[in-house]
Every structure is written in structure tokens, then in C-alpha cells.
Amino acid sequence: MSYSAMAPDVWDPSLESDPDSMLSPDQCVIKGQHFFIGGLIEIPVIGSQDVFSWGVWVSLSRENFARALEVWNTEGREAEKPYFGWLSTELALYPESTTDLKTNAHTRAVGKRPLIQLEPTDHPLAVEQRTGITLGRVREIAMGVLHPA
């Protein structure tokens, strides 16, 4: 019920030796100029209490990234206002690119990944987040991820 990207699409393993770059399971900095956090796009599964999740990365401004880090381990951080960002994960199962969709990252309780809310557009991923998906669609996603064409 969940699939995740290990890094933003623009991450390259050669950056591991760059002192101004870092990648952790939750944050990423590229050359001290591009800032990302990991989060979840949650999609309700119609007819159940289940939620399907895409683990994705969003780019944040330097200021929002700094604030997110400042409160990362702070109880009550879920009271933070959402951080605007750009989706930085290409989900190839969608007919239109998912990279650079507008998002808001909602901080949740310590230990929970941020909720990534897409701008309400007609992009298929945004529609799925708003309206939900069937269990059949979950199976279709699983097949696409586990057995790409």
C-alpha cells in the first residue's frame, strides 16, 4: 500500500562526495542550493479504511527548509503552517509528468512523515488524491512498480 522514492529525481550518487550535498531518508541538500524533504502523498482507497501512499520528495525554499529542520524533532511541530514546494519525484505510472506539480507539505507529529498535498488540478495524481482510488487501481500500481514494462 506504499511505494517510495529513495531520493529526489535530481539527486546523483556522485554528489555523495560533495561537502555541500547530503541525502538522508528525510532530507536532501544539493550543492548547498537546492533543498528537499521527503513526505507522503496519501490517497484514500474507496470502500475501505485503507490509504495508499506514494513516498515522494518536494523541493522547498531555503527558508522553509531551514524552518522544517529547526522544528524537525520538536513536539507540537504539526502546528506549523504548510510549506510550499514543488514535487521532485517522477511517478512514471501517470500519463502526465508529476515533476514540478505544486504542493504543500504539512508537518505532522514527530516521527511521521509530512503529508504532501497536491494543488487541486486536473492532473491524474491530484484527482486521485482528492477522490480516492479503487483496490483494482492499487493492484495496477503495484504491477506497474514491481513489473515495469
Side-chain angles (χ1 to χ4, degrees):
M1 295 297 281
S2 177
Y3 297 98
S4 295
M6 301 307 288
D9 287 350
V10 292
W11 177 260
D12 185 277
S14 67
L15 293 167
E16 290 173 6
S17 61
D18 182 333
D20 295 323
S21 300
M22 63 80 73
L23 175 65
S24 76
D26 299 307
Q27 298 117 12
C28 178
V29 176
I30 296 178
K31 298 190 181 258
Q33 297 181 13
H34 305 282
F35 308 92
F36 306 87
I37 60 169
L40 299 174
I41 296 174
E42 294 183 345
I43 302 173
V45 178
I46 297 167
S48 77
Q49 298 298 314
D50 293 330
V51 174
F52 175 83
S53 298
W54 285 113
V56 297
W57 292 84
V58 295
S59 66
L60 299 180
S61 68
R62 178 185 301 269
E63 296 77 21
N64 282 344
F65 183 77
R67 178 63 185 165
L69 288 184
E70 183 180 324
V71 299
W72 199 261
N73 293 310
T74 304
E75 294 297 325
R77 71 181 191 166
E78 59 272 20
E80 283 289 295
K81 67 177 181 62
Y83 306 121
F84 174 80
W86 299 95
L87 188 59
S88 300
T89 302
E90 183 61 45
L91 301 173
L93 297 176
Y94 290 90
E96 302 170 31
S97 176
T98 58
T99 301
D100 292 333
L101 291 175
K102 293 179 182 179
T103 69
N104 277 299
H106 297 265
T107 305
R108 299 195 275 192
V110 172
K112 289 192 80 175
R113 287 182 172 254
L115 172 67
I116 307 303
Q117 184 176 32
L118 296 167
E119 178 183 50
T121 65
D122 62 354
H123 188 284
L125 178 58
V127 171
E128 286 182 347
Q129 188 176 40
R130 284 194 314 274
T131 63
I133 59 176
T134 64
L135 196 51
R137 174 68 174 139
V138 172
R139 285 189 208 99
E140 180 182 310
I141 290 169
M143 290 301 294
V145 170
L146 299 173
H147 306 287

